[in-house]
Amino acid sequence: MFKMGSIAYTSGQPDLSHHINSKSRARHPSPLKEIIKFMGQDGMISLAGGLPHPSMFPLLNAKFDCLPPLSDPSIESNTVSLDISRNSTSGKLDLNEFLQYGSGAGNKKLLSLTRDLTERMHAPPCEYECLLHPGNTNAWSKVVGLLCEDDDYVIVDEFTYPSAQALWIPLGIKATPVSADEEGLSAKGLQKLLESWDEAKQGRKRPSVLYLVPVGSNPTGVTISLQRRREIYAICVEFDVIIVEDDPYYCLQYPQNTPSQHQPTQLLPPNEFLNTLIPSFLSMDIEGRVIRLESFSKTLFPGLRLGYFVANPLFTERLLRATEVETQDPAGLSQAFVLALFENWGVDGYLSWLQGLQLQYKTRKDWLISAFHENFVVLPAAKSPLPHAKGYVCCIQESVGGKLLPVFSFEDPEAGMFVWSKFYFHGVPRFTKLQGQSLEDPEQAFAQELWEAMAAELVLLTPGSYYHAWQGADKVSTVSRGAEPQSAHFRFSFATPSKEQIQEGVKRVRKVVGQLWGNAV
Amino acid sequence: MFKMGSIAYTSGQPDLSHHINSKSRARHPSPLKEIIKFMGQDGMISLAGGLPHPSMFPLLNAKFDCLPPLSDPSIESNTVSLDISRNSTSGKLDLNEFLQYGSGAGNKKLLSLTRDLTERMHAPPCEYECLLHPGNTNAWSKVVGLLCEDDDYVIVDEFTYPSAQALWIPLGIKATPVSADEEGLSAKGLQKLLESWDEAKQGRKRPSVLYLVPVGSNPTGVTISLQRRREIYAICVEFDVIIVEDDPYYCLQYPQNTPSQHQPTQLLPPNEFLNTLIPSFLSMDIEGRVIRLESFSKTLFPGLRLGYFVANPLFTERLLRATEVETQDPAGLSQAFVLALFENWGVDGYLSWLQGLQLQYKTRKDWLISAFHENFVVLPAAKSPLPHAKGYVCCIQESVGGKLLPVFSFEDPEAGMFVWSKFYFHGVPRFTKLQGQSLEDPEQAFAQELWEAMAAELVLLTPGSYYHAWQGADKVSTVSRGAEPQSAHFRFSFATPSKEQIQEGVKRVRKVVGQLWGNAV
């Protein structure tokens, strides 16, 4: 019988070891690790290690000049300096620790920091461990290697980050999508999917992994509401589903402008700030069934290739076994930089930095929404020609008669980098013509032409088709996916372009729409 | 039919695409990559990217103080300083390039450098590409993901690095080992294995992947001779086998003390130095069937987590697809450091640094061999009580009669960090007793007791059993593996301990041997 290490469940958490797939179960610790225990003994001489001698490492000292947590990036003189030396004394970081091979789990001080951050931000009610990883791309790859058998189904949002899927499509894994509304993934949809799953018909067991980007989702920008989170968690308990909470945008939730706080530039005290963040799935995880993927890519910088898992020790132990043979520790300079930065900033400083980030992303989002208003007639959906659309509808006015034609709807996001839009093709002359050509997927054909027309006008959006949940080669077209006819999605990103580029970009979108939407101005 | 991208074979190289396994074939480029082509157009405004804005990255400047290539590490003042700034001008490295998400392939300048290094060091006769990876552990994981189907066999040396095997044991892959002599893997053994492979009997197709650590092998320390390399390559051509050349110790070949060069501290000119290095498998690869794993872990430092593949473009293209969804680029600070170091040192400076390294490792190896001489009677095998052993035999003298008892044999390595030893248990009282107990594996039982006795005496070696090729759970014992009875291996590492520790460590080994080998002094 399979026994998983030394994990004892005294806390009443359920035993979730049946979620570990056959390959992950078959992993054994490296025998070399056995020796490491002995190496620490007083007076021990080890002729057993295979580590190169640190005297042969050419790097002596690393120094990083950084912004302070509360900074105006235009003032260059306002910097803090992080110095990391070899064999440093007086309790400072020792660069030697970051140049040598690590244990797989990551530097102990950095692990301790990730635990402090986790307690401050999520205070998980279950037993958990942290484990470093080299970015959420790799983290998700390891989680698939932990939980999924080939040919499994994974539950995802109907619009899902394509690289997350590209990883597992070659394994024969398919998505079983659940639709979402403005509060996020539909709890009813999830419930229905799970309770009506027919193993015989589907040829596979009921899915037991739910993959979510729960804040500022890529691509939809949606943040799952607190109430919806509770419903989803309860359903996952009922149907024994593991929730993979891939949450790189968690700290990019926009500051709330409540009447009492109409000065968004004024920072909140750290704990008050933390209270403004929506509770994570991890924070409500009494059973240890949430695997949270944390990343510094969006809060510090992506080139670090550094993040961490927070999960049930049952899972982190297996993830560590995979780490030992698949990646080893994240890069040492990245670990040293993050640790030195936190030693200088403090966790409270980091929380201030995050508030600055939030404001910057909100400002950028507002630039895009303003550009919509400058170029379109923007109406709340209920008052628009498409009363059943979600959020807001951007319309243009017919040159003759002044009738409002809906072009696309969008929702105003509460977090992240993206505005997700749904374009409506009803009555658009070229689309009507394509419909008459008995194509398999006229919506996709027109969306492609629309994208190309925008690219010719020198503005790029991301086609929504990139984000369709992969249900197999036979479920790609608009009809076969069961998607709404005469429509297609596009993603607007406001993270990278300047204010002027955003304004000019939306103006170009408007120009192309004017050309294609017929006789509109 | 399966068509692999745009690789055209005009050079007469054979098409090796049948080596790509089913999962790797099923990988598709991310659709997002399509958009990147458009992003570079003049005047294009992209609202499509998902990259965070660089103004929100807190790192402004990185400065690394390093040793010069020809340095005395004891003189601290003798350092070079690498400064990497944001938005730097005048052709210097721009830190911005290393903070943002990369393309998966790695920084272009660094890729270009790896190509320069490859041309200088190996001048491959086939078409090839370089692709960065985050260390050889991950590189080997990606190669298994490229070439091996679950339950395949992989050809390895009978003693193989355990983490390389730990990766694929859970996939059901097994080793099919080939024995080695002082010139490395036996070409005859390889030939016999391949030509006598019985698909029906083995239940699997003939193995088509050969995994090798061809220089200073871990654990055996053996470097495959040039003649043997040619024989092995020819056999791999004949039987259509892909050679995975995992070569982290390539640059740790010890300087040769030929009569005309008895001053090992005098550096050779770079090209003359390169001529002293044994030609790699890559350098003789006219067919594009070598996948070479290069690492900076042993030549700069392991915490970089940075290396590169050199391989047929057919393979690097598929490895890049895996990189995009499994790891992304190696860490940016590691890439920036290596590039800045090479810009300062130059490739010739790096080649000088390597000569310094070689000398240091050779010096360390000599410390160990000297310690053997100080504690044992060391004889060439032919003149020892074990004339058929390999290399040298360390003996002790009986207290009564002065007869020489052989304890272990070893070979004096030409590269790397390890001396591999074979202990002989014949006539050792405790071993004889264990043999009488009808144990399944008395050799392993005694080797374990010997290891524990040494650990109790505060000296650690690495048990040879860690390196046994994994042939399945039924082929673990000495007898079932077909290994020589009354013997077991241990690995001595001289990379990390000091001279004094090496001397004292071997003294402790001698003490334990004195206790266990009966009435010897």
Side-chain angles (χ1 to χ4, degrees):
Chain A
M1 213 201 100
F2 173 66
K3 275 193 67 182
M4 198 58 80
S6 56
I7 310 296
Y9 287 92
T10 53
S11 61
Q13 282 181 218
D15 178 359
L16 299 175
S17 59
H18 55 279
H19 284 282
I20 295 168
N21 72 20
S22 53
K23 285 176 183 166
S24 181
R25 276 162 198 256
R27 290 195 189 285
H28 293 285
S30 165
L32 296 169
K33 304 279 162 186
E34 279 302 299
I35 298 190
I36 290 174
K37 294 178 208 161
F38 287 85
M39 287 184 182
Q41 282 184 29
D42 271 355
M44 184 64 82
I45 291 177
S46 174
L47 305 177
L51 305 181
H53 199 279
S55 68
M56 293 179 259
F57 301 159
L59 176 59
L60 301 174
N61 186 72
K63 187 178 157 197
F64 300 105
D65 295 326
C66 296
L67 294 171
L70 298 173
S71 73
D72 180 342
S74 61
I75 306 169
E76 280 230 13
S77 61
N78 183 15
T79 61
V80 297
S81 187
L82 315 174
D83 250 304
I84 316 170
S85 301
R86 303 275 291 269
N87 305 312
S88 75
T89 48
S90 72
K92 283 185 75 180
L93 284 187
D94 182 352
L95 188 58
N96 276 316
E97 289 183 34
F98 303 93
L99 303 184
Q100 192 53 279
Y101 285 106
S103 67
N107 179 277
K108 279 187 185 167
K109 284 183 198 137
L110 187 51
L111 273 175
S112 169
L113 170 70
T114 62
R115 217 180 150 95
D116 290 349
L117 277 174
T118 303
E119 278 302 316
R120 286 287 293 274
M121 301 186 84
H122 307 287
C126 56
E127 200 186 349
Y128 71 93
E129 292 284 350
C130 297
L131 175 69
L132 299 193
H133 62 64
N136 280 13
T137 298
N138 182 258
W140 172 235
S141 161
K142 284 182 181 142
V143 168
V144 170
L146 173 76
L147 299 176
C148 300
E149 302 286 357
D150 291 0
D151 304 319
D152 264 1
Y153 281 90
V154 173
I155 312 171
V156 297
D157 191 305
E158 65 178 317
F159 302 108
T160 287
Y161 178 54
S163 292
Q165 303 196 89
L167 174 83
W168 43 250
I169 291 170
L171 308 177
I173 294 174
K174 287 181 190 169
T176 174
V178 173
S179 64
D181 59 21
E182 64 281 6
E183 290 194 62
L185 195 87
S186 161
K188 280 185 189 141
L190 179 64
Q191 172 97 23
K192 195 179 155 196
L193 168 78
L194 290 164
E195 71 189 7
S196 67
W197 190 266
D198 183 337
E199 293 202 4
K201 191 179 147 200
Q202 300 282 355
R204 297 297 299 171
K205 71 172 175 56
R206 197 175 63 207
S208 59
V209 176
L210 169 60
Y211 173 78
L212 286 174
V213 180
V215 171
S217 175
N218 184 359
T220 67
V222 170
T223 298
I224 304 177
S225 71
L226 177 57
Q227 177 56 27
R228 185 65 57 81
R229 285 166 189 252
R230 289 182 175 142
E231 292 165 10
I232 290 171
Y233 187 79
I235 294 166
C236 289
V237 168
E238 183 184 349
F239 290 94
D240 190 21
V241 170
I242 302 296
I243 300 170
V244 185
E245 182 172 41
D246 182 3
D247 213 355
Y249 309 106
Y250 185 75
C251 297
L252 306 188
Q253 297 176 54
Y254 308 143
Q256 305 296 314
N257 285 321
T258 59
S260 61
Q261 287 167 16
H262 28 66
Q263 285 178 298
T265 50
Q266 199 170 330
L267 294 188
L268 299 173
N271 286 337
E272 204 172 312
F273 161 67
L274 288 171
N275 286 335
T276 68
L277 300 178
I278 192 155
S280 63
F281 279 99
L282 180 68
S283 74
M284 56 185 72
D285 184 22
I286 52 174
E287 294 206 331
R289 60 172 67 252
V290 173
I291 299 179
R292 189 173 162 84
L293 314 185
E294 296 274 11
S295 168
F296 291 112
S297 289
K298 306 299 192 291
T299 60
L300 298 176
F301 60 91
L304 284 172
R305 301 285 79 220
L306 183 62
Y308 52 100
F309 298 100
V310 188
N312 194 321
L314 178 83
F315 296 141
T316 54
E317 189 270 341
R318 292 285 96 189
L319 291 166
L320 176 56
R321 295 287 87 77
T323 300
E324 287 163 1
V325 295
E326 288 180 1
T327 60
Q328 303 201 29
D329 279 37
L333 291 174
S334 296
Q335 294 194 53
F337 170 80
V338 169
L339 205 42
L341 187 75
F342 272 87
E343 289 201 348
N344 182 288
W345 282 8
V347 170
D348 283 352
Y350 179 65
L351 296 176
S352 301
W353 169 261
L354 296 180
Q355 291 191 63
L357 273 192
Q358 292 187 330
L359 185 62
Q360 292 195 49
Y361 277 100
K362 180 181 188 298
T363 303
R364 292 177 164 274
K365 186 268 293 178
D366 288 342
W367 292 342
L368 179 64
I369 305 289
S370 297
F372 288 167
H373 282 272
E374 285 159 24
N375 289 282
F376 295 90
V377 179
V378 182
L379 298 170
K383 297 181 178 178
S384 81
L386 294 172
H388 300 297
K390 291 177 193 167
Y392 299 85
V393 177
C394 288
C395 305
I396 55 174
Q397 221 162 1
E398 277 192 318
S399 53
V400 180
K403 191 182 153 197
L404 283 178
L405 298 179
V407 179
F408 67 89
S409 64
F410 72 92
E411 284 170 87
D412 194 354
E414 291 162 22
M417 303 180 165
F418 309 114
V419 169
W420 185 236
S421 68
K422 184 176 189 176
F423 278 65
Y424 300 91
F425 301 156
H426 178 75
V428 176
R430 172 67 186 158
F431 174 69
T432 308
K433 196 173 167 192
L434 287 168
Q435 273 190 309
Q437 292 176 3
S438 63
L439 299 171
E440 192 194 344
D441 193 353
E443 285 82 0
Q444 180 53 30
F446 182 66
Q448 177 65 23
E449 289 191 8
L450 176 58
W451 189 87
E452 285 167 8
M454 290 194 274
E457 205 58 52
L458 297 177
V459 58
L460 298 178
L461 305 185
T462 317
S465 58
Y466 291 5
Y467 304 94
H468 293 161
W470 173 256
Q471 302 176 71
D474 58 332
K475 289 192 179 173
V476 172
S477 71
T478 306
V479 172
S480 64
R481 287 186 298 113
E484 186 182 323
Q486 310 197 18
S487 71
H489 290 83
F490 288 90
R491 190 191 76 173
F492 290 81
S493 165
F494 48 82
T496 322
S498 67
K499 185 177 182 180
E500 293 66 33
Q501 287 175 318
I502 289 175
Q503 289 174 327
E504 177 61 25
V506 175
K507 203 167 150 187
R508 293 176 188 176
V509 170
R510 172 65 184 80
K511 186 176 168 191
V512 172
V513 163
Q515 289 158 358
L516 286 167
W517 260 245
N519 59 348
V521 268
Chain B
M1 212 201 100
F2 172 66
K3 274 192 68 179
M4 198 57 80
S6 55
I7 312 295
Y9 287 92
T10 52
S11 60
Q13 281 181 220
D15 179 359
L16 299 174
S17 59
H18 55 279
H19 284 282
I20 296 169
N21 72 18
S22 53
K23 284 174 184 167
S24 182
R25 277 162 199 256
R27 289 196 190 284
H28 293 285
S30 165
L32 296 168
K33 304 278 163 187
E34 280 301 299
I35 296 189
I36 290 173
K37 294 179 208 161
F38 287 86
M39 287 183 182
Q41 283 184 26
D42 271 355
M44 184 63 83
I45 292 177
S46 173
L47 305 176
L51 306 180
H53 198 279
S55 67
M56 293 179 260
F57 301 158
L59 176 58
L60 301 174
N61 187 71
K63 186 178 157 196
F64 300 105
D65 294 328
C66 296
L67 295 172
L70 299 173
S71 74
D72 181 343
S74 61
I75 305 169
E76 280 231 11
S77 61
N78 184 13
T79 60
V80 296
S81 187
L82 316 174
D83 250 303
I84 316 170
S85 301
R86 303 275 290 269
N87 305 311
S88 76
T89 47
S90 70
K92 284 187 72 182
L93 284 187
D94 181 352
L95 186 59
N96 276 316
E97 290 183 34
F98 303 93
L99 304 184
Q100 191 54 277
Y101 285 105
S103 67
N107 179 277
K108 280 186 184 169
K109 284 184 198 136
L110 187 51
L111 273 176
S112 170
L113 170 70
T114 62
R115 217 181 150 95
D116 290 350
L117 277 173
T118 303
E119 279 300 317
R120 286 287 294 274
M121 302 187 82
H122 307 287
C126 56
E127 198 186 351
Y128 70 93
E129 293 283 350
C130 296
L131 175 69
L132 299 192
H133 62 63
N136 279 14
T137 298
N138 182 258
W140 171 237
S141 161
K142 284 182 181 143
V143 168
V144 170
L146 172 76
L147 299 177
C148 301
E149 302 287 356
D150 291 0
D151 304 320
D152 264 1
Y153 281 91
V154 173
I155 311 171
V156 297
D157 191 302
E158 66 178 316
F159 303 108
T160 287
Y161 179 54
S163 292
Q165 303 196 89
L167 174 84
W168 44 250
I169 291 171
L171 308 177
I173 294 173
K174 286 181 191 170
T176 175
V178 172
S179 65
D181 59 21
E182 65 281 7
E183 290 194 63
L185 195 87
S186 161
K188 281 185 188 139
L190 180 64
Q191 172 98 23
K192 193 178 156 199
L193 168 78
L194 290 164
E195 70 189 7
S196 67
W197 190 266
D198 183 338
E199 293 202 6
K201 190 178 149 202
Q202 300 282 355
R204 298 297 299 171
K205 70 173 175 56
R206 198 175 63 208
S208 59
V209 177
L210 169 60
Y211 173 79
L212 287 175
V213 180
V215 172
S217 176
N218 185 358
T220 67
V222 170
T223 298
I224 304 177
S225 71
L226 177 57
Q227 176 58 25
R228 186 65 57 81
R229 284 166 191 251
R230 289 182 177 142
E231 291 165 12
I232 291 171
Y233 187 80
I235 294 166
C236 289
V237 168
E238 183 185 349
F239 290 94
D240 190 20
V241 171
I242 302 296
I243 300 171
V244 185
E245 181 172 41
D246 182 3
D247 213 354
Y249 310 105
Y250 185 75
C251 298
L252 306 188
Q253 298 175 54
Y254 308 142
Q256 305 296 316
N257 285 322
T258 59
S260 60
Q261 289 167 17
H262 29 67
Q263 285 178 296
T265 49
Q266 199 169 330
L267 294 187
L268 300 173
N271 286 337
E272 206 173 308
F273 162 68
L274 287 171
N275 286 336
T276 68
L277 301 177
I278 192 156
S280 63
F281 279 99
L282 180 68
S283 74
M284 55 186 72
D285 184 22
I286 50 173
E287 294 205 332
R289 61 172 66 253
V290 173
I291 299 179
R292 190 173 161 83
L293 314 185
E294 295 274 11
S295 168
F296 291 113
S297 289
K298 305 298 192 292
T299 61
L300 299 176
F301 59 90
L304 284 172
R305 301 287 78 222
L306 183 62
Y308 52 100
F309 298 100
V310 188
N312 193 321
L314 178 83
F315 297 142
T316 54
E317 188 271 340
R318 293 285 94 188
L319 291 166
L320 176 57
R321 294 288 87 77
T323 300
E324 287 163 0
V325 297
E326 287 179 4
T327 60
Q328 303 200 28
D329 279 38
L333 291 175
S334 297
Q335 294 194 54
F337 171 80
V338 169
L339 204 41
L341 187 75
F342 272 87
E343 289 202 348
N344 182 288
W345 281 8
V347 170
D348 282 352
Y350 179 66
L351 296 176
S352 301
W353 169 260
L354 295 180
Q355 292 191 63
L357 272 192
Q358 291 187 332
L359 185 63
Q360 292 196 48
Y361 276 100
K362 180 181 189 297
T363 303
R364 293 178 164 274
K365 186 268 292 179
D366 288 342
W367 293 341
L368 180 64
I369 305 290
S370 298
F372 287 168
H373 283 271
E374 285 159 24
N375 290 280
F376 295 91
V377 179
V378 181
L379 299 170
K383 298 182 178 178
S384 81
L386 294 172
H388 301 297
K390 293 177 194 168
Y392 299 84
V393 176
C394 289
C395 304
I396 55 174
Q397 221 161 2
E398 277 192 320
S399 52
V400 179
K403 190 183 154 199
L404 282 179
L405 298 179
V407 179
F408 66 91
S409 64
F410 70 93
E411 284 169 88
D412 195 355
E414 292 162 22
M417 303 180 166
F418 311 114
V419 168
W420 185 236
S421 69
K422 184 176 189 176
F423 278 67
Y424 300 92
F425 302 156
H426 177 75
V428 177
R430 173 65 187 158
F431 174 70
T432 308
K433 194 173 169 193
L434 287 168
Q435 274 190 309
Q437 292 177 3
S438 64
L439 298 172
E440 193 195 342
D441 193 354
E443 285 82 1
Q444 180 54 30
F446 181 67
Q448 177 67 22
E449 288 191 9
L450 177 57
W451 189 87
E452 285 167 9
M454 289 194 275
E457 206 57 53
L458 297 178
V459 59
L460 298 177
L461 306 185
T462 316
S465 59
Y466 291 5
Y467 304 94
H468 293 161
W470 173 255
Q471 303 176 72
D474 59 331
K475 289 194 178 172
V476 172
S477 71
T478 305
V479 171
S480 65
R481 287 187 296 114
E484 184 181 324
Q486 309 195 17
S487 71
H489 290 83
F490 288 90
R491 190 191 77 175
F492 290 80
S493 166
F494 48 81
T496 323
S498 66
K499 184 176 183 182
E500 292 66 32
Q501 287 175 319
I502 288 175
Q503 289 173 326
E504 177 61 25
V506 174
K507 203 167 152 187
R508 293 177 187 176
V509 170
R510 172 64 183 84
K511 185 175 170 193
V512 172
V513 164
Q515 289 159 359
L516 286 167
W517 260 246
N519 61 346
V521 268

